[in-house]
Amino acid sequence: MGAGEHVSRRGESGLTVRQEDIVASFVAAVDRIIELRPDICLHAGDLFHQVRPLNRILAIAAEQLHRLAARAGIPTVIISGNHDAPRQAYVGAPLDVLRPISNLHVAARGELEIFTIGSCRVFALPHCLSTRDMHQQLQACIPDPGSTYNVLVTHGVIAGMPEFSMADLGETEIPRDVLERFDYAALGHYHNYRVIGARACYAGSTDRLSIAERDEPKGFVEVELDPLRIHFHEIAGRAMIDLPRIDATGQRGDQLVELIEKQLVAADSAEKIVRVRIDGLSPETLKTLPVQALAALKERVFSLDLQFNRSEGEEASPGFGRSAIGRLDLGFMEFLEQADLTGLDKKRLADMAQTYLGQTES
Ligand SMILES: [Mn+2]
């Protein structure tokens, strides 16, 4: 929750209309879960898309989790993911604010916490500060043979399955053999619903967070443990579409706007989130582009993302405005996230930073 801040229009709540959408999907999921009355509800991380969500978003999260755990009495376990885990421990996690909610179990300290709920032991392993920490904590994920059920809830990419990477710098790997020890493993990080092997699953996010998710159903999963059965519940969200690419070569600006408009009308796009990619934009086309007509087009669509690919490259200079120095490797990772790294291997830079900078400080 909190994502969608780049949409310009604001709703009555003061949030952007897209932020309101994403909140509404989460609330719809809570409604359905309360109806289903499960023995336990698990959230596998990244409830928030950043370490410091808006106070309003934090308040909505508290209200909804209070409704689910305290009022409806559904024991709920939530962990932090790579987006909402603090990079330095002293900052604290936004989930810490939710700790006073009764019947809500929060794991947000970068270490494994084990909660006993009825006949189930829930191993809650949140995002850790470093890959090394994560590996140590994974070794402690040993099911309790005395417990009827042992369930794992964690956040990251399954080792050897890069298709579940979100290309985030902080993401960590989860070895498959750890998953196989448990009666069920609830996984977070990847945004789409996917069943992994026999007893693990990414439930995915409750709404679409990038254009890459345009054709994916969104929702949550209901899991029965004995025998194991996974059932996906879909939450209908706003439609997201990618229009055919437009070639701007040889077009005047006004002709180009006309082409875009034609596509928008054909796709019935007023209430949709739309991406249009325009290739081969020359300085001539750019000069004659009627800015007001373009702005008027944006008014007619819920959200219009116009991506112009110029025929000439233009470099943006990255800002490096940090004064406080914490852990060097983590500071460098934050810098990498903001820098324009087009054409560079982000993952390799991050790995090198962890190897060299992580050794000297810790
Ligand atoms: Mn994540």
Side-chain angles (χ1 to χ4, degrees):
M1 277 197 286
E5 69 270 51
H6 301 302
V7 170
S8 54
R9 216 154 358 109
R10 289 188 183 270
E12 276 178 25
S13 71
L15 296 172
T16 74
V17 284
R18 184 59 189 149
Q19 285 177 312
E20 288 185 342
D21 275 353
I22 292 169
V23 164
S25 301
F26 184 76
V27 174
V30 171
D31 289 346
R32 295 278 293 279
I33 295 166
I34 291 173
E35 280 167 24
L36 291 166
R37 301 216 61 81
D39 298 310
I40 303 175
C41 175
L42 305 174
H43 191 287
D46 284 349
L47 174 64
F48 306 112
H49 77 318
Q50 56 191 12
V51 183
R52 243 162 293 184
L54 294 176
N55 292 336
R56 188 177 293 277
I57 292 292
L58 206 48
I60 293 168
E63 186 187 337
Q64 293 306 318
L65 290 168
H66 181 264
R67 189 160 77 91
L68 176 71
R71 290 227 307 271
I74 297 166
T76 300
V77 176
I78 187 163
I79 64 171
S80 44
N82 58 307
H83 280 280
D84 55 8
R87 303 241 178 254
Q88 272 123 329
Y90 72 86
V91 173
L95 293 182
D96 289 337
V97 173
L98 311 177
R99 288 182 187 276
I101 296 175
S102 65
N103 221 11
L104 180 71
H105 307 270
V106 174
R109 294 192 183 100
E111 61 187 27
L112 175 68
E113 292 186 52
I114 303 169
F115 306 109
T116 303
I117 300 169
S119 54
C120 187
R121 300 269 273 171
V122 179
F123 290 66
L125 176 55
H127 179 73
C128 297
L129 277 179
S130 72
T131 309
R132 209 187 309 156
D133 290 352
M134 183 74 174
H135 280 292
Q136 268 172 12
Q137 298 296 311
L138 280 163
Q139 281 170 13
C141 291
I142 308 294
D144 173 7
S147 174
T148 312
Y149 301 109
N150 290 282
V151 166
L152 174 69
V153 52
T154 192
H155 191 95
V157 183
I158 306 303
M161 303 182 93
E163 62 269 37
F164 298 118
S165 167
M166 300 306 293
D168 289 340
L169 290 164
E171 63 189 16
T172 41
E173 283 200 342
I174 308 157
R176 266 190 92 144
D177 65 296
V178 175
L179 308 183
E180 284 155 13
R181 298 173 196 160
F182 288 87
D183 294 299
Y184 177 70
L187 304 171
H189 185 55
Y190 185 64
H191 291 176
N192 302 323
Y193 164 57
R194 294 287 186 277
V195 174
I196 308 294
R199 294 190 306 276
C201 167
Y202 284 103
S205 49
T206 48
D207 207 321
R208 297 182 179 89
L209 298 165
S210 92
I211 192 78
E213 298 164 35
R214 61 193 179 273
D215 297 325
E216 297 279 347
K218 295 284 155 175
F220 62 93
V221 293
E222 178 188 7
V223 180
E224 280 172 42
L225 290 180
D226 200 9
L228 192 100
R229 195 187 68 97
I230 298 172
H231 176 70
F232 181 73
H233 291 265
E234 186 168 353
I235 302 283
R238 185 175 296 279
M240 206 177 243
I241 55 169
D242 199 18
L243 296 181
R245 297 183 89 109
I246 293 176
D247 184 5
T249 311
Q251 304 281 349
R252 278 195 327 265
D254 59 318
Q255 292 172 319
L256 180 59
V257 171
E258 236 171 76
L259 280 176
I260 298 170
E261 185 179 9
K262 252 185 215 158
Q263 282 210 6
L264 291 175
V265 171
D268 188 20
S269 48
E271 291 303 318
K272 296 173 184 169
I273 297 163
V274 184
R275 178 174 72 169
V276 186
R277 283 169 296 176
I278 297 122
D279 298 322
L281 194 74
S282 65
E284 288 74 35
T285 312
L286 194 62
K287 255 183 255 164
T288 54
L289 208 56
V291 180
Q292 281 185 334
L294 215 52
L297 275 189
K298 288 205 170 198
E299 289 299 310
R300 288 167 48 185
V301 180
F302 177 83
S303 165
L304 177 59
D305 179 17
L306 292 171
Q307 292 185 359
F308 292 106
N309 300 312
R310 294 167 193 225
S311 39
E312 293 173 343
E314 203 176 279
E315 290 282 323
S317 62
F320 201 151
R322 279 168 197 285
S323 51
I325 294 180
R327 276 183 49 182
L328 272 178
D329 55 338
L330 299 174
F332 186 71
M333 303 272 271
E334 260 182 273
F335 163 70
L336 281 187
E337 271 172 13
Q338 294 171 353
D340 180 3
L341 299 174
T342 317
L344 294 177
D345 186 345
K346 263 183 166 182
K347 186 94 192 151
R348 188 160 161 261
L349 280 170
D351 288 346
M352 282 167 72
Q354 286 213 323
T355 307
Y356 296 118
L357 302 175
Q359 273 170 1
T360 51
E361 288 235 331
S362 93

